[in-house]
Amino acid sequence: MPRYACEEGDRFVSATTIGALVGGVIDSMGGDGDGNWDGAIKGAIVANVLKVAIPAVITYAVGWAVLRGAAELKDQVFGEVK
C-alpha cells in the first residue's frame, strides 16, 4: 500500500518533495528575481536522478570490491598466475 504524507500520524516526505524545497530555497537565495519555481523543478529532477544513480553506484562499487577480493583470495590459494 502506498504511503502518503497526508496520512494521519505518518511523517513520510518523499525525496522529490525535499529536493523541490531545497532547490526552491537555493534559487531564492540567488537573487536573480525569476521566482523559486525553476529551482524547485531542478531540485525535484536532481532528487529523482539521485534516487536512481546512488544505488547504481553503490551496487557497482560493492560488485567491484567482491570481484577484487575474490581475485586476491584465488591468488592466495592457488598462487599468482602470470
Side-chain angles (χ1 to χ4, degrees), residues 33-68:
D34 65 347
N36 304 347
W37 61 271
D38 60 333
I41 291 172
K42 291 174 188 173
I45 291 170
V46 168
N48 282 322
V49 168
L50 290 178
K51 282 194 291 188
V52 173
I54 289 176
V57 168
I58 290 172
T59 301
Y60 178 83
V62 169
W64 179 84
V66 168
L67 286 175
R68 177 102 176 176

Side-chain angles (χ1 to χ4, degrees), residues 9-48:
D10 192 5
R11 304 213 189 285
F12 174 74
V13 178
S14 76
T16 305
T17 305
I18 293 172
L21 291 172
V22 170
V25 169
I26 291 172
D27 189 46
S28 69
M29 291 189 313
D32 54 5
D34 65 347
N36 304 347
W37 61 271
D38 60 333
I41 291 172
K42 291 174 188 173
I45 291 170
V46 168
N48 282 322

